[in-house]
C-alpha cells in the first residue's frame, strides 16, 4: 500500500498509508488540491496537530480503516452516547487535556467518526451531573453571583427534574 508523510506541528514526520490518511477529509482535500500522490516526498503539514495527538489519531484511523461508512442522513437518527465500542472506550481513557486536543484534531482533520466518539465521551462525563459537579469535573470557575444563579434557576425551572 502506498504511503504519505504527515508532518505534525512540532516537526515530527509520520509515514502513513494513503488509505488511512484519507479518512481525514482535510488531508484528502489537500492531496487532491495539491495534486499530491505516493511519489511525492514532501510531507503534508498539519500545523494544528501535535506529534502526540497525531500519533493517537493515526492509531485510531488504523483501527477503524475497515469500518463501513456511516449513513449520511443522520438528521433523523437518535443522538446516542451509549454506543461507544469497547476499543474506543479504552482508547479514550486519557486525561482531559488529551481528550480535548483529540476533539480539536478530529475537527481540524475532518474525521467524523473520531469527532463523534470523542464528543460522546465528553457528553458522558457531563450526563446526569448538576452544574456544580460539571464545574468541578472540568475545573470551571463559577463567576455568577448567588442572585444571578437564582435568577437562572428560576428561568430554567421547566427543564429541571421533578
Amino acid at each position: 500500500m502506498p504511503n504519505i508523510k504527515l508532518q505534525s506541528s512540532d516537526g515530527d514526520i509520520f509515514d502513513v498509508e494513503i488509505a488511512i490518511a484519507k479518512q481525514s477529509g482535510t488531508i484528502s482535500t489537500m492531496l487532491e488540491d495539491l495534486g499530491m500522490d505516493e511519489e511525492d516526498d514532501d510531507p503534508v503539514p498539519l500545523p494544528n496537530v501535535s506529534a502526540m495527538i497525531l500519533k493517537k489519531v493515526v492509531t485510531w484511523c488504523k483501527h477503524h480503516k475497515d469500518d463501513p461508512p456511516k449513513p449520511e442522513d443522520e438528521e433523523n437518527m437518535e443522538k446516542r452516547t451509549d454506543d461507544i465500542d469497547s476499543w474506543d472506550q479504552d482508547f479514550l481513557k486519557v486525561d482531559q487535556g488529551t481528550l480535548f486536543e483529540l476533539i480539536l484534531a478530529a475537527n481540524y482533520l475532518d474525521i467524523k467518526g473520531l469527532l463523534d466518539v470523542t464528543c460522546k465521551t465528553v457528553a458522558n462525563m457531563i450526563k446526569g451531573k448538576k452544574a456544580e459537579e460539571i464545574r468541578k469535573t472540568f475545573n470551571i470557575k463559577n463567576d455568577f453571583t448567588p442572585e444571578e444563579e437564582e435568577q437562572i434557576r428560576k428561568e430554567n425551572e421547566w427543564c429541571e427534574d421533578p
Side-chain angles (χ1 to χ4, degrees):
M1 195 68 166
N3 284 8
I4 188 163
K5 291 181 173 79
L6 304 177
Q7 184 175 17
S8 68
S9 61
D10 23 18
D12 290 9
I13 305 287
F14 292 80
D15 208 32
V16 181
E17 287 180 28
I18 286 183
I20 289 169
K22 281 190 169 183
Q23 288 182 50
S24 160
T26 303
I27 293 172
S28 193
T29 301
M30 279 183 185
L31 295 177
E32 290 168 21
D33 289 353
L34 300 173
M36 295 176 81
D37 57 27
E38 58 267 17
E39 281 89 49
D40 274 312
D41 238 13
D42 293 332
V44 175
L46 300 172
N48 295 355
V49 186
S50 70
M52 180 190 86
I53 297 300
L54 185 54
K55 182 178 181 184
K56 288 194 76 64
V57 169
V58 169
T59 300
W60 187 91
C61 287
K62 283 179 181 175
H63 180 79
H64 290 280
K65 71 177 189 246
D66 297 323
D67 288 3
K70 298 266 189 217
E72 288 295 317
D73 182 29
E74 290 193 19
E75 281 182 32
N76 300 324
M77 281 183 61
E78 182 182 342
K79 299 295 181 198
R80 298 177 50 184
T81 62
D82 60 351
D83 57 350
I84 302 171
D85 73 42
S86 61
W87 188 92
D88 284 337
Q89 287 178 16
D90 289 340
F91 178 79
L92 293 172
K93 285 182 181 166
V94 295
D95 62 86
Q96 278 184 23
T98 301
L99 181 58
F100 289 123
E101 282 190 58
L102 281 167
I103 290 172
L104 293 172
N107 186 49
Y108 169 68
L109 293 170
D110 189 16
I111 304 173
K112 186 166 180 7
L114 180 57
L115 184 60
D116 285 348
V117 77
T118 51
C119 288
K120 285 178 181 185
T121 300
V122 172
N124 287 335
M125 293 167 76
I126 294 171
K127 192 185 274 185
K129 291 187 177 178
K130 300 251 181 244
E132 198 51 48
E133 294 172 295
I134 295 168
R135 282 190 200 105
K136 188 174 180 184
T137 299
F138 297 105
N139 199 23
I140 300 169
K141 181 179 163 255
N142 183 2
D143 56 357
F144 290 116
T145 65
E147 294 80 25
E148 289 172 326
E149 208 165 321
E150 187 56 37
Q151 178 64 32
I152 292 168
R153 274 193 177 63
K154 283 181 183 171
E155 290 172 1
N156 294 291
E157 276 178 345
W158 62 270
C159 67
E160 294 292 323
D161 289 332

